[in-house]
Every structure is written in structure tokens, then in C-alpha cells.
Amino acid sequence: MSSANKMAAAAARPGAKLAQAPDGLRVGEDFPFVCEVCLGPNPYLRMIKMPMSRECKISARPYTAFRWQPGSEARYKETIIAPEVAIAKNVCQVCLMDMEYNLPVAVRDKLMGGASAAADAITVPNSDVNKEFYWDNQKRMLEEGTLSHGAGGKMSGSFEKLAAMSRNSSSTPYYDRNLPKLCSFWCLQTCTRVVNSACPYRPCNGTFRFPELASTQQDALSVLVRKLHAEGAVSVMRDTSEEMEAIREKLRESQRGSRNQAIRARYHGTEEDKLAQKYLDRANQLPALTPPEDEGVTALWVGGLTPQITQQDLHDQFYSYGEILEVKMLPERRCAIVTYAMRKSAEEAATALYRKLRVKDCPLKLWWARSHQADDGRACGGGGSSSAPPPPPGSAPPPGQAGGKMLYPSMNPNAMGARPEAR
């Protein structure tokens, strides 16, 4: 295997959406280690390569930097850390977000149990000499294709929360990260270029999107956007009302702080990363699969089955959590009931597989089954749905059924059409 192929294999992560380097190019030297969001929606980019022209914000070592524009209305983006530093943590060289989940490092480490954060604190030295030696070894491992990121290894944590919050699972990437920067002079009511429409920053250039307010100040964001569309950026900048002054103060507050310190906080996943704290607060509010109060319920409902999924496939997924009494397949309802011998086994399976159960690359739903669902399997509607009881002997079948078989509407004798011939 060539050196280029080794580095490309070292950069690849299972389940990640990476920008793979083409054949013959080296990651970090000919192509940056970046995420799809920073590359933008345009598949054809013109990058400026600057060999050994920038100093890494983490290792303080020179590296080959890249600069490009991810879209016609986006700002120019540039790598800010060295490739070996980014791959060591499996983060993007530009936004420092995790490559697999597109989330801050602190969120990934916290929900994974903090194992990668502890490993990073032990392996990364503090003195300048040891740092130079450490990152030199990391670069050598990158060239040999043996470099692995700090989040590797066997870890246990809330992976279902990571999957639920991951922006990589969204059909639309979060391209607001590529928006032009906020005009600080406009926030101070001193921008002179906005009058001549010569200012390239928001909102002077006509881009009325403010991610700084979207997550915490929805009301202020709505007021600001409406006024900008109605009056324009010049009139809103000159507005001296208390409401607009409060909005401008919130925008100024979002821009305060040291950029270099924010980069180090994002990379190392410290508590100073405010965006990570917002994600962690959101993770704590995600709903969990609460066990029912009835201790006799030891069955789990599995929904969304496909014809390719067999009873043995489900048994292989659930048997490691405890003894299974029965796996009842209900193909007509595309669901199944997995019954355990002990309640503790069912609780462990529910905690481990909730929101991340996949069988043959098919995502499945998981919920606690009701007691009557586990007993006779007549109902299969995860988390509380039930079916009507069967009619008493001798009575007419319910509408749409005859002889226990489902009928089409045209064959329903109670609606229209002819009664099917008896067989």
C-alpha cells in the first residue's frame, strides 16, 4: 500500500462523513482534513495552498494551510490547526467539530463517558519541549498511516443521544456556519460602508441570518429580521430605541472573548466552550425510555420490521442482555415482541438499544410492550396502542373482514360490492 493510501485509510473513520482525498494526494499536504459543511455544497472548489505558512493554534508548529470559499455567498474559510492535530482528535481543521457526529468535542467526550478526554489529558504533555516531541511523533505517524484519533477504543456512554443530536444525520447540512462574519461596526452604529452597500459582512451585505440569536433569543431574532426586511440595514443601524439597543448588545456579547482561547477550549473540550454547554443542556432534555410501573412486564416491542429481518436476527440482537423466553414475530403488523425471563434483562436491553437499534442496516423502533401484548400478541402498536378484541363466537365479522381474512373496500359486504364466494 502506498503512503497516500495509508494516510487516506488512517483518516477514514467508521460512520463518518469525511472529505476523502483523491488518489495520489496526501491528507494534510495536498488536501485538508475537513468536514462536508466547511467544504460547502459546491462539489467543485478552487483552493489556495500555502505551504508551511501558518502556525497551528494548538501545537504552535508551522503547517500547510488551505483557503477557499465554500459558496458564492459564504465567507472565505481557512484551516487553523495542523492536520496531525486534527486527526489526533478526529476533528475538522476549520470548525474543530467532531467528524463523525459534527458536534463539539466536549459533547462527544461527555456522552461517551469522558474516556477520550481523560486519555488526552494523559498523553498530551505541557512543556514546550515535550509538546514539540509529541506532535513530531504524531506527524510521523500520519505519514506512516498509523495515526488514530483520541476518541478511539472501547467506550460506554449515551451513544443514542449522540446519534439523536448528530447533525450529520440531517438531510440538510448546517451551512449557517459558513455565513459572512457579523459586522462589529454595525453593532456599534459606526459602519460607514453600509450606506454605499460596500460592506461584506452581515447584515450590511443583505444577509439577514443571525445564528448568534437563533438558539437562545428567538423573540429578539424575529424582531430584528422583520425590521431589517422592512426598513433596511442602514435605518436599523441608526435606530436608537431601547429594543434595538438591547438586541445590538446581545450581538456584541456573542462576539466578545479571545479567539485563540475559544479555539483551545473547543479543541480540548473544556467548560469554557459555551456552544458545548448548550448541546449538553439539550442532551439532558432528550426523552428517555422509562420502564413501566408494572414489574411483571418483561417484554419489548420492536417496530418497523422488513421482510428480510427474521426471528433469528432479532434473537441475535437481544440475547446478549439476558435469557429470552420468546421472540414473537407479527409480520402482518411489521413488528415483534421480545420477551425476557427477567425484568432486569429487559431494562438493560431497552437502555442499550433505545434509538440505536439497527438490524441489517434497517433502523428499528423500540418500546416497552404491554402485558396483554406479551401474552397473546394481538396488539402491536409500541407504547400503548392496542387492537379491538375478537368478536364472540357466532357473531358477524367486523367490517372489512370475512372468515378472519382482510378484505379490500370493494369486497366489503357492509359497504359496496359483492360478498366473496365461500371457499
Side-chain angles (χ1 to χ4, degrees):
M1 180 181 294
S2 63
S3 177
N5 293 336
K6 287 183 179 179
M7 285 185 287
R13 305 295 174 207
K17 292 185 177 181
L18 308 183
Q20 300 293 341
D23 295 337
L25 300 182
R26 297 172 297 173
V27 177
E29 294 297 329
D30 300 314
F31 196 81
F33 187 74
V34 294
C35 62
E36 291 184 350
V37 176
C38 291
L39 282 178
N42 187 3
Y44 304 100
L45 287 176
R46 177 178 295 178
M47 287 189 177
I48 302 175
K49 179 181 177 180
M50 299 170 284
M52 309 301 287
S53 61
R54 295 291 187 270
E55 180 183 284
C56 178
K57 301 295 184 181
I58 303 298
S59 64
R61 290 164 52 90
Y63 71 99
T64 299
F66 294 86
R67 191 171 186 265
W68 68 94
Q69 188 178 16
S72 58
E73 298 181 356
R75 70 176 185 271
Y76 276 88
K77 312 208 71 172
E78 184 177 315
T79 56
I80 59 177
I81 61 175
E84 64 271 12
V85 177
I87 296 177
K89 276 263 187 171
N90 195 32
V91 297
C92 175
Q93 278 189 262
V94 180
C95 63
L96 304 185
M97 290 287 189
D98 179 69
M99 295 289 279
E100 184 172 354
Y101 298 102
N102 201 5
L103 295 173
V105 176
V107 179
R108 179 195 68 188
D109 294 348
K110 182 69 174 180
L111 297 183
M112 282 185 174
S116 59
D120 180 71
I122 295 174
T123 56
V124 178
N126 296 322
S127 65
D128 294 338
V129 176
N130 289 338
K131 276 185 178 180
E132 184 71 18
F133 178 76
Y134 175 81
W135 290 118
D136 188 67
N137 287 338
Q138 293 291 308
K139 186 174 183 179
R140 176 179 54 81
M141 293 169 61
L142 172 62
E143 295 174 354
E144 296 175 354
T146 59
L147 180 61
S148 60
H149 61 85
K154 184 178 181 180
M155 292 172 287
S156 59
S158 302
F159 289 96
E160 67 277 2
K161 290 186 177 181
L162 278 174
M165 298 175 62
S166 174
R167 283 182 169 175
N168 276 341
S169 60
S170 176
S171 58
T172 304
Y174 186 71
Y175 288 128
D176 281 359
R177 195 182 300 163
N178 302 336
L179 289 174
K181 293 183 178 180
L182 183 64
C183 181
S184 58
F185 292 98
W186 186 88
C187 296
L188 296 173
Q189 299 178 283
T190 58
C191 183
T192 57
R193 295 185 293 180
V194 63
V195 180
N196 300 325
S197 300
C199 183
Y201 302 110
R202 293 180 290 129
C204 306
N205 62 352
T207 302
F208 302 150
R209 295 181 64 86
F210 300 91
E212 299 85 358
L213 305 175
S215 59
T216 58
Q217 306 291 336
Q218 289 287 344
D219 296 337
L221 175 63
S222 178
V223 172
L224 177 59
V225 172
R226 284 201 304 267
K227 290 182 69 67
L228 285 171
H229 281 288
E231 305 175 13
V234 179
S235 300
V236 175
M237 183 187 69
R238 296 171 178 174
D239 190 345
T240 58
S241 63
E242 295 183 0
E243 182 182 34
M244 288 307 305
E245 182 59 32
I247 295 176
R248 281 193 291 266
E249 177 60 29
K250 294 174 182 176
L251 292 174
R252 291 193 293 266
E253 179 66 26
S254 65
Q255 304 300 308
R256 293 191 178 104
S258 172
R259 180 173 180 266
N260 292 337
Q261 185 177 359
I263 290 174
R264 290 191 292 268
R266 174 67 54 80
Y267 181 83
H268 294 293
T270 62
E271 296 180 356
E272 299 176 358
D273 190 357
K274 298 181 180 179
L275 179 62
Q277 298 303 319
K278 294 179 182 179
Y279 274 101
L280 291 175
D281 294 340
R282 190 183 305 174
N284 295 330
Q285 298 175 359
L286 288 177
L289 188 59
T290 305
E293 298 181 357
D294 186 4
E295 294 291 339
V297 178
T298 61
L300 298 175
W301 174 86
V302 183
L305 301 181
T306 61
Q308 292 75 21
I309 299 177
T310 64
Q311 183 179 15
Q312 187 62 38
D313 294 333
L314 293 179
H315 188 276
D316 294 341
Q317 286 287 333
F318 287 91
Y319 85 97
S320 60
Y321 302 97
E323 181 183 355
I324 297 178
L325 296 180
E326 183 186 16
V327 178
K328 183 184 291 294
M329 302 291 292
L330 300 172
E332 68 279 0
R333 299 179 182 272
R334 297 184 60 189
C335 63
I337 303 295
V338 181
T339 306
Y340 282 94
M342 299 180 60
R343 170 62 175 257
K344 182 180 179 180
S345 301
E347 292 179 355
E348 293 179 357
T351 303
L353 300 177
Y354 181 57
R355 288 184 178 270
K356 64 175 185 176
L357 177 60
R358 298 182 68 92
V359 178
K360 292 185 177 180
D361 294 332
C362 177
L364 302 180
K365 299 179 181 179
L366 182 67
W367 207 261
W368 283 93
R370 287 188 175 184
S371 57
H372 71 278
Q373 292 177 352
D375 293 340
D376 51 29
R378 286 194 300 265
C380 193
S385 63
S386 61
S387 62
S395 60
Q401 293 186 4
K405 297 182 180 180
M406 185 64 64
L407 304 179
Y408 292 102
S410 60
M411 300 173 62
N412 188 353
N414 297 327
M416 62 177 63
R419 182 184 298 273
E421 299 180 358
R423 297 182 180 178

